[in-house]
Amino acid sequence: MSAGAFEGQYVWHPAADDRELASACVDVRAGRYWSAREVLRDARDDFGLRAHRSLVLASEAADSDLTERWLTEEPGPEAALLWARVAVLRAARAADDNDRRAIALDRIATAACERAAEMAPHDPTPWTALLGLAHLHQARDPAPRGLLTAPPGPWYLFARILRLDPWHREAHHRFLAFFFTRNGGSANAAWDVAAFLGQRAPASSALRLLPLVTLAEGHGPASPLADRVWEEPQWRTTALSVYQYWFPHAATYRFTPVLDLAYLAHALFMAGRAFEARAVLTAMGPYASRMPWSLFGDPETHLTRARRHCGLPVPGAP
C-alpha cells in the first residue's frame, strides 16, 4: 500500500491507489473490456482483491452493454464474474426504485451468479455478490448456536462462502448488512451478528471493525449526546484494539483499504483519540470514502473536520 501525500484535494474514486484498476475503469467507461479481464485475472488467487476489483468495475459497467458483449465475444470466468456483479447491481437498483422489472432482473442476477460460480468453483466472489440480494430473497435459515437473538437469515449461503474463504471481507459486510434496519432487520439482531462475527475473527483482521460499522449504521443524530457514544469505554477499547492489531497490517495490502481505514479513523476521532486518528488519516493519503462520514451529513465536511482537528491539511487551506 502506498497512498501518497495529500496534495490539497480528496480522491473519492473507489479504485484509490490501485493503478491497474483505475486504468481498467477508464477503459470500461470507453467500452473496452481487455484491461478489466487482465486485472481480474491477476487477482484470481487473491479473493479480497478480486472482490474489490470486480465490484468497482461493475459500478463502472452497470449502465452499458459492455458485460453482455464481453460474455458473448470472450466467455470465461472473468467475463462471467463481471456480468454477475453487474446483474446484481441492476437488480438491487430496480428493487430500490420499485421498478416493475425487479423480479425478472433478480432472476437474471441469481442465474448469472450461479453461472460465474460454476466457471470458477473455488472463487467465493460470485456467491458474495449474491449476498447483495439476500434481503430481497428474505432468506430465513436458522442461526447457529451462540447468538442471543438467534436471527434467521442467509446463513447457508454465508457458510458456503466461508468454506471457500473464512475471512472474506466483503462477504462479512454484506451478511451483516442483511440484519440492518434499512434492510428489514432489527438493531438487536445487527448488534448480535456484529459481535458474533467480530469476536470470531483474528485480532489482526479488519473484520474486528464490524461492531464499529454497526455503531455508525445505527447512529441517531437526534438522540441526546449521540456523538458521545464513541467515547464509551467499550467502543474506545474496540477502536484502539483494531488500531493496535490490524492497522499495522494495512500497509501490506496491494491497495489502500480506504473504507476500513475510514471507519477506524472515524471511530478514533469520535472517541477523542486524535493521535491515533491522525496516523490512520495520514495512511489514507488523499483517498476518501463517503462512508462512514456521510451518515453524519455531507461526507467532505465531516472528513475535513476530522482532519483539521488532527492537525492535517484540508482542501482549500492555504
Side-chain angles (χ1 to χ4, degrees), residues 89-273:
L89 279 178
R90 291 173 180 170
R93 289 177 184 175
D96 291 342
D97 295 340
N98 294 315
D99 192 310
R100 58 184 178 81
R101 301 170 299 166
I103 295 177
L105 290 173
D106 179 36
R107 290 173 180 162
I108 292 171
T110 300
C113 290
E114 292 172 348
R115 177 179 179 179
E118 289 174 0
M119 298 187 75
H122 300 295
D123 183 5
T125 319
W127 300 119
T128 300
L130 191 58
L131 263 182
L133 299 177
H135 64 289
L136 303 180
H137 299 163
Q138 299 180 338
R140 306 291 294 176
D141 308 330
R145 294 179 180 179
L147 288 94
L148 294 174
T149 59
W155 291 97
Y156 296 159
L157 177 56
F158 187 52
R160 185 171 196 164
I161 297 167
L162 298 190
R163 286 194 292 271
L164 297 171
D165 185 359
W167 312 118
H168 196 280
R169 181 205 175 277
E170 184 188 339
H172 279 75
H173 280 264
R174 287 199 179 278
F175 182 72
L176 176 60
F178 175 88
F179 301 95
F180 288 161
T181 54
R182 59 180 163 87
N183 288 324
S186 70
N188 287 338
W191 284 118
D192 201 7
V193 171
F196 176 76
L197 298 180
Q199 289 168 5
R200 64 185 291 276
S204 59
S205 170
L207 296 176
R208 288 283 180 151
L209 280 163
L210 290 173
L212 295 175
V213 172
T214 306
L215 182 63
E217 174 72 23
H219 176 68
S223 304
L225 302 178
D227 289 348
R228 304 297 295 273
V229 67
W230 280 267
E231 298 176 17
E232 295 177 6
Q234 173 187 1
W235 304 119
R236 182 185 286 117
T237 298
T238 300
L240 289 172
S241 178
V242 176
Y243 175 80
Q244 179 180 358
Y245 293 107
W246 170 72
F247 177 58
H249 293 276
T252 67
Y253 282 47
R254 288 181 64 181
F255 64 94
T256 300
V258 177
L259 188 56
D260 288 331
L261 290 171
Y263 271 107
L264 178 57
H266 171 265
L268 291 167
F269 167 66
M270 297 294 285
R273 304 293 303 208

Side-chain angles (χ1 to χ4, degrees), residues 79-92:
L81 175 59
L82 193 58
W83 164 234
R85 284 291 207 181
V86 165
V88 167
L89 279 178
R90 291 173 180 170

Side-chain angles (χ1 to χ4, degrees), residues 6-43:
F6 182 81
E7 297 181 354
Q9 296 295 329
Y10 299 130
V11 177
W12 296 96
H13 196 281
D17 54 348
D18 186 337
R19 308 301 183 193
E20 293 82 4
L21 175 58
S23 177
C25 287
V26 173
D27 283 347
V28 166
R29 288 195 294 272
R32 299 184 294 266
Y33 57 76
W34 300 285
S35 55
R37 178 188 58 208
E38 294 308 310
V39 297
L40 291 178
R41 182 177 292 167
D42 175 58

